[in-house]
Amino acid sequence: ERNYRSMSRAKVLVICHDAGGAEIVSAYILAHQQRYRFFVFVSGPAMKIFRRKRIAAVLFEDQSFHDFFVAHPDVLFVLAGTGASGMEARAIASARARGIKTVAFLDHWVNYRERFRYPEAGWEAHLPDEIWVGDQYGYQLAKECFSHVIIRLVSNPYFQEVRASYRGAVARATQHDAILFMS
């Protein structure tokens, strides 16, 4: 007989607003949905991305995260994108203030500190417990920017999605002697 507790997957809260973060975090969800139970809360451009990928998400527009975290006290960690909106940074600060582990997944290579409210006074309170990056260049850059945060180099699930999509398009193509370059 299986132990019910071992069958249950750990609960992860996901918070996204900006498109870049939503792309990489949604790809992470699809790659790890057997390992975790994801509860996704989005606003702004992220909603369109999660809908396109058919990932259940709740529109979350409340600027106060107090009730949000009171309703979800049993999470393993909070996974957030990052971006200019500041929503993710506010969620990270609120979760950390409650002792909930936080992870931010960086989606590209610019404005690392600004994603966490720098140069505002007290911007460090918006830093997560861990920062994940999906490539070596981003890893080195994050290590230089954040000396007091755990930086992890993880497989980039969005790059994997793009590669698979490309391979599928090539397999379906009827003409193989054309090259499309986009920059």
Side-chain angles (χ1 to χ4, degrees):
E1 181 176 305
R2 288 186 179 176
N3 181 337
Y4 177 78
R5 205 170 161 82
S6 67
M7 292 184 348
S8 108
R9 295 170 291 159
K11 183 177 181 180
V12 175
L13 291 183
V14 174
I15 300 171
C16 286
H17 178 278
D18 289 24
E23 286 287 5
I24 199 164
V25 169
S26 62
Y28 181 85
I29 289 170
L30 291 173
H32 295 88
Q33 58 192 347
Q34 298 304 315
R35 183 175 180 187
Y36 300 112
R37 289 183 332 161
F38 293 98
F39 294 82
V40 181
F41 299 87
V42 299
S43 67
M47 179 55 93
K48 186 175 183 179
I49 291 162
F50 280 85
R51 282 185 181 152
R52 175 174 42 89
K53 294 184 177 186
R54 294 183 173 91
I55 298 172
V58 174
L59 183 61
F60 185 75
E61 297 179 301
D62 185 5
Q63 296 303 310
S64 169
F65 290 96
H66 173 74
D67 294 338
F68 178 77
F69 289 116
V70 167
H72 300 280
D74 59 338
V75 300
L76 181 62
F77 65 95
V78 170
L79 175 60
T82 62
S85 73
M87 179 186 140
E88 296 97 335
R90 289 189 304 276
I92 288 167
S94 183
R96 286 196 68 205
R98 288 165 177 73
I100 301 170
K101 180 180 176 178
T102 56
V103 175
F105 209 138
L106 298 178
D107 58 287
H108 62 84
W109 308 280
V110 298
N111 302 324
Y112 275 13
R113 285 188 184 111
E114 290 79 2
R115 294 162 186 253
F116 302 103
R117 311 298 293 258
Y118 176 87
E120 291 178 16
W123 70 275
E124 294 91 346
H126 296 95
L127 289 170
D129 298 302
E130 292 185 15
I131 293 175
W132 292 354
V133 293
D135 64 89
Q136 190 64 42
Y137 178 76
Y139 178 77
Q140 291 302 323
L141 190 60
K143 293 286 270 182
E144 292 171 16
C145 289
F146 307 109
S147 59
H148 294 88
V149 177
I150 297 168
I151 310 296
R152 295 198 191 276
L153 178 60
V154 298
S155 177
N156 189 320
Y158 181 61
F159 287 172
Q160 293 170 1
E161 274 187 0
V162 170
R163 285 183 193 112
S165 176
Y166 174 76
R167 282 191 295 270
V170 167
R172 291 187 303 274
T174 57
Q175 184 177 355
H176 295 284
D177 60 350
I179 296 174
L180 173 62
F181 174 77
M182 297 171 49
S183 174

